[in-house]
Amino acid sequence: MCNLKIHEYQSKKLLNEFGVPVPKSTIATDKETLLENFRDFQSKAVLKVQVHAGGRGKAGGVKLVDNSQDAVEFADKFFGNLFQTFQTGDESVVVNKILVEEASSIVSEMYLALLVDGSNQSINIIASPEGGTDIEEVASKNPEKIFSLPVNTILGPTDFHVREILDFLNLDKTLFAQLNKIIRGLYKLYLDKDCSLIEINPLILNDNNEIIALDAKITFDEDALFRNKDISELRDLSQENEVEIKAAELGIKYVQLKGSVGCIVNGAGLAMATMDVIQSAGLSPANFLDIGGGADEDKVSKAMSAVLSDDNVKIVLVNLFGGILRCDVAARGFILALKDSDGTPPKLIIRMQGTNSEEGKRILSNTKYNISFAENLDQISQILSSEE
């Protein structure tokens, strides 16, 4: 499943629509608008760069500002420039928008999230009194501070569930009504908009005894976007990988990774197994790619071109089971892409099983390219290990 990410300001707009309190804020796309919005908050506000990555605060992308000069410096530093956090790794993303938000007086910070738990086929509510920090670190060092509550998808969250979460977050019982409204609103948002994750970190209690979502991250199941055209319109292509965008337009599931072994596979399960084989051989996959079952020569060619466009790729591993996609069709598509590629094509490891597999291997054998054929995953692993 691929997920659509949206910005914090878009997430907060959705939260507000579903009854979840958020701070007052405006979005700026240039310095002049930012300054105007800043003055509207009596020249004291929190400025937040809007990118599809966590860790913005640690990277300097979130700042409490109480004068115009600092606001101008923040705008000049980030607008139109590349921004990097621990989540972006070696890559950077461009900052086109900055959120200008009223400053909040924080009494306590908490964590609240909703996500699918495949093991019990339910939506889980995750809560922690340790908000404002990396939840992975809390789970690792203090797992007792993480509360995971599976919710029956027919009944939804009950008053009993809310009381359990209220107690775990060490909130006063007088705050039950507020938390109840928030949890039910989040659950309705999750179902109505086909979310894959709603994460509020931190969820705060302010000095007015109000519970507010101070930050928000929401992702959506891309396969369900046909039901929510309004969510599709929130997509910001400037935050996404160009190759991934082009692949998506072709109906190819492609996610770029950091390794050196490019993958071309049909079927998500087979693709995951193939990536496991690469890891077990001591190498790392350069991408996840599911070409699908109904590809033709042109689509196969574009899939191969997408893999070859990654300069980190030193080996291309093809693992196909021919069904609707015939192996001979795939072979011709690969050759089209290899002929059009710049420079010397990398080594290819090919495993083909199923419809016209022998014909596909024959077609590829009659080329000049450096190809090793494998019959099973063990042979793939052995060939990869020899290339390590």
Side-chain angles (χ1 to χ4, degrees), residues 20-287:
V20 179
V22 297
K24 294 178 182 178
S25 62
T26 55
I27 195 70
T29 56
D30 54 58
K31 180 167 62 177
E32 289 71 25
T33 307
L34 185 147
L35 276 174
E36 182 180 336
N37 296 342
F38 176 67
R39 295 188 185 104
D40 289 342
F41 286 111
Q42 286 73 52
S43 296
K44 184 177 182 181
V46 179
L47 307 182
K48 300 181 176 183
V49 299
Q50 297 297 285
V51 295
H52 289 172
R56 293 170 300 162
K58 292 180 179 179
V62 178
K63 186 175 183 179
L64 175 63
V65 175
D66 59 7
N67 62 80
S68 296
Q69 181 178 347
D70 286 350
V72 169
E73 290 178 358
F74 190 92
D76 287 338
K77 180 178 180 180
F78 290 110
F79 269 131
N81 296 323
L82 294 175
F83 181 67
Q84 193 173 35
T85 77
F86 73 92
Q87 285 196 5
T88 64
D90 296 331
E91 298 180 358
S92 301
V93 286
V94 66
V95 177
N96 294 319
K97 297 181 177 71
I98 294 176
L99 185 68
V100 185
E101 184 172 271
E102 68 175 348
S104 298
S105 299
I106 301 173
V107 174
S108 63
E109 296 182 331
M110 301 156 282
Y111 176 94
L112 190 63
L114 277 75
L115 49 83
V116 169
D117 184 346
S119 66
N120 57 29
Q121 299 181 0
S122 70
I123 296 173
N124 273 22
I125 299 175
I126 311 295
S128 174
E130 298 292 316
T133 57
D134 296 331
I135 197 64
E136 295 85 0
E137 184 176 340
V138 176
S140 173
K141 296 182 178 179
N142 303 105
E144 72 280 359
K145 293 184 178 181
I146 302 289
F147 182 58
S148 180
L149 180 69
V151 177
N152 185 292
T153 52
I154 297 175
L155 298 177
T158 64
D159 288 357
F160 176 74
H161 290 145
V162 177
R163 289 191 186 95
E164 282 192 292
I165 297 170
L166 190 80
D167 290 343
F168 192 81
L169 294 177
N170 301 315
L171 293 173
D172 191 270
K173 289 179 172 55
T174 58
L175 297 170
F176 171 83
Q178 287 189 53
L179 186 63
N180 187 41
K181 183 180 179 183
I182 288 170
I183 289 176
R184 292 180 185 276
L186 292 174
Y187 189 79
K188 181 172 173 55
L189 168 59
Y190 198 99
L191 293 183
D192 286 2
K193 299 300 182 181
D194 293 299
C195 301
S196 53
L197 170 70
I198 299 177
E199 183 180 58
I200 300 176
N201 189 24
L203 179 75
I204 68 160
L205 179 67
N206 67 15
D207 57 4
N208 291 324
N209 220 30
E210 299 169 324
I211 303 175
I212 297 175
L214 198 61
D215 198 356
K217 174 184 178 181
I218 304 178
T219 61
F220 305 87
D221 179 1
E222 285 194 356
D223 291 333
L225 289 178
F226 69 93
R227 288 196 291 255
N228 292 289
K229 300 298 183 184
D230 58 326
I231 300 300
S232 299
E233 293 170 358
L234 300 179
R235 189 169 205 156
D236 184 354
L237 296 179
S238 72
Q239 299 290 304
E240 298 184 26
N241 181 284
E242 185 177 350
V243 179
E244 292 180 8
I245 295 170
K246 291 180 179 178
E249 292 172 352
L250 297 168
I252 298 170
K253 301 293 186 183
Y254 176 91
V255 179
Q256 191 160 353
L257 303 172
K258 303 292 186 182
S260 61
V261 182
C263 306
I264 300 179
V265 190
N266 62 330
L270 186 60
M272 296 301 293
T274 302
M275 294 170 72
D276 287 343
V277 170
I278 294 170
Q279 294 277 12
S280 68
L283 299 171
S284 298
N287 62 271

